[in-house]
Amino acid sequence: MQIAINFGELTVLAELNDSETARKIEAALPISSRVNTWGDEIYFPIPVKAGLEKGATEAMEIGDIAYWPPGHSFCVFFGPTPASIDDKPRAASPVNKIGRILSDPGLLKRVPDGAKVEIRAAGAR
């Protein structure tokens, strides 16, 4: 499923995978929240509760989207984070990978801490 993540004037497209967590997020759409930033990661609480899935990891790639169970948060990785050991993003603790950004992840550097965010099915109004 493709989703649109809107940060005010910036909208990026992403694709959810077929994991149990991604299906829970899809069922909860649309979702609105306010973002937090942590290095080159945007994360924000969502009304979805899920535990760690098999394959949960801290190791991310630029453009990965994930769900962080301790904070019930949607995470978007677009560069190094404070936990990184190289130039790749690294989550604070294990996360469930739920998909990938289809747009240029570098655009996310423009999103300020505290910005409003809304996730919808791509094409939905």
Side-chain angles (χ1 to χ4, degrees), residues 105-122:
L107 295 171
L108 298 169
K109 292 183 185 290
R110 301 189 336 224
V111 177
D113 193 61
K116 287 184 180 179
V117 61
E118 183 175 57
I119 307 172
R120 296 187 166 277

Side-chain angles (χ1 to χ4, degrees), residues 10-22:
L10 173 67
T11 300
V12 295
L13 292 178
E15 187 168 62
L16 294 178
N17 62 26
D18 192 34
S19 66
E20 181 180 338
T21 303

Side-chain angles (χ1 to χ4, degrees), residues 50-63:
L52 287 175
E53 292 186 18
K54 184 175 182 176
T57 182
E58 295 100 348
M60 296 287 112
E61 297 291 332
I62 291 173

Side-chain angles (χ1 to χ4, degrees), residues 70-86:
H72 310 295
S73 293
F74 189 98
C75 308
V76 183
F77 296 91
F78 56 96
T81 65
S84 293
I85 51 177
D86 54 22

Side-chain angles (χ1 to χ4, degrees), residues 39-53:
D40 284 351
E41 175 192 350
I42 291 169
Y43 69 98
F44 48 91
I46 61 173
V48 172
K49 303 246 186 300
L52 287 175
E53 292 186 18

